[in-house]
Amino acid sequence: MKNLRGVVLLDPHDDLAPNFLRWLNRRFKYRVLGISPLMLKELRGRGLSPTRQVKPLHYPSKELSELVKCLSGMLGSIPEDVVESAVMASAYVSPLIVFGEPSKSVLNLATRVVKTVVKLNNALLKLHMRIADYSILDYYVKNLELLERLWKGELSGKEFVELRKDMVVKDSKRYWRLTTQPSKGGKKGASKTEVLEEPQPFLAYVDPLSLLIREGRGTEVIRDFSFEDVGAGLVVVPSVTIPPYIVGK
């Protein structure tokens, strides 16, 4: 799917879910978003429909759906729709766009989290969602190289995890505008940036494979699948959390 801006993940039972869908409609007028099969089924089960910008995603292969089930079984407490959305985001080389309760599960799949100390406005959010696109695109080839070396046995699990850690630490520096306290001065006439009372998660680097390897179980996943499926579904996925105050009531 061309021009895919992100893969949407939300809780259909959330009272603000309709507001979030309308917000997506306003913010992504000219770009396409995707939604995983399970997420779409749950949304329709609540009588909700995705907006015209949110298109159903399909598994590129049957094996990739089996990879999702395998990961879900190994991850235990993480809902399958969250795992599926992460794998779909990897396969379609797009960030996750998360709203509400699923963000907690996403954080549990993350190896690194960027927290914002400033309250997001539309301009800041637009800028950093664009940066999230680059976060997955710029490191995609590197992701595949590391996965292939692990799959071939050229890297140990420990080496793989450390190299991926270095990668996301380097990438996270892109978000310095959110992690740096704004100066009290600033240019005359510039809009004032509001500081949050507590830093809030904004971007999570979702990497279930590294988490499983740390538990001594990750290599079981990749050796049961072809490299094409491992490479498609298991790159590090940047996940953007949309705060409720942006969506409104």
Side-chain angles (χ1 to χ4, degrees):
M1 187 177 294
K2 294 183 179 180
N3 298 321
L4 189 67
R5 184 65 185 272
V7 175
V8 177
L9 178 60
L10 71 155
D11 177 8
H13 298 85
D14 193 318
D15 290 340
L16 290 179
N19 301 48
F20 175 57
L21 293 173
R22 287 193 291 270
W23 178 84
L24 291 174
N25 190 50
R26 295 194 304 270
R27 302 310 305 175
F28 295 91
K29 290 183 179 180
Y30 308 108
R31 296 292 296 274
V32 177
L33 301 168
I35 190 167
S36 78
L38 283 176
M39 192 74 262
L40 180 61
K41 182 179 179 181
E42 292 173 19
L43 203 63
R44 288 175 172 167
R46 291 290 295 171
L48 298 172
S49 298
T51 57
R52 58 187 176 85
Q53 283 86 0
V54 182
K55 308 297 184 182
L57 298 178
H58 304 283
Y59 281 105
S61 68
K62 179 182 178 182
E63 288 73 21
L64 205 60
S65 67
E66 294 173 356
L67 177 62
V68 167
K69 293 186 182 301
C70 178
L71 286 172
S72 295
M74 296 179 77
L75 290 166
S77 62
I78 306 297
E80 188 175 349
D81 57 358
V82 174
V83 177
E84 181 183 69
S85 295
V87 170
M88 282 291 187
S90 172
Y92 283 88
V93 198
S94 299
L96 278 171
I97 301 176
V98 187
F99 181 76
E101 189 67 21
S103 63
K104 295 178 182 178
S105 294
V106 166
L107 292 176
N108 288 331
L109 287 178
T111 54
R112 188 172 181 84
V113 177
V114 175
K115 293 186 177 183
T116 178
V117 300
V118 300
K119 187 173 183 179
L120 297 171
N121 53 36
N122 286 329
L124 273 175
L125 184 58
K126 182 178 180 181
L127 170 64
H128 288 89
M129 290 185 75
R130 189 183 306 122
I131 293 173
D133 283 337
Y134 294 130
S135 285
I136 191 167
L137 289 171
D138 290 352
Y139 285 92
Y140 189 71
V141 172
K142 180 68 173 178
N143 262 299
L144 292 182
E145 289 175 350
L146 292 178
L147 281 167
E148 186 172 23
R149 291 176 66 192
L150 180 67
W151 185 78
K152 289 180 175 179
E154 297 173 359
L155 281 179
S156 68
K158 183 178 179 180
E159 289 171 325
F160 175 81
V161 169
E162 285 301 312
L163 287 169
R164 271 203 165 175
K165 177 184 175 182
D166 293 342
M167 188 174 68
V168 299
V169 167
K170 182 178 179 181
D171 184 76
S172 66
K173 295 176 182 178
R174 297 179 193 257
Y175 301 92
W176 62 268
R177 295 175 185 83
L178 299 181
T179 59
T180 306
Q181 289 281 354
S183 61
K184 294 182 179 179
K187 296 181 179 179
K188 187 176 180 180
S191 58
K192 185 177 180 181
T193 304
E194 186 176 344
V195 178
L196 295 168
E197 291 185 8
E198 293 286 341
Q200 295 178 0
F202 170 74
L203 188 108
Y205 290 92
V206 176
D207 187 0
L209 179 56
S210 287
L211 295 178
L212 288 172
I213 288 174
R214 287 175 180 174
E215 297 174 359
R217 301 184 295 154
T219 52
E220 298 174 27
V221 177
I222 63 168
R223 288 173 182 165
D224 289 338
F225 295 89
S226 69
F227 173 68
E228 285 73 20
D229 295 309
V230 169
L234 292 174
V235 305
V236 178
V237 172
S239 174
V240 175
T241 297
I242 306 299
Y245 61 77
I246 281 283
V247 172
K249 296 181 179 181

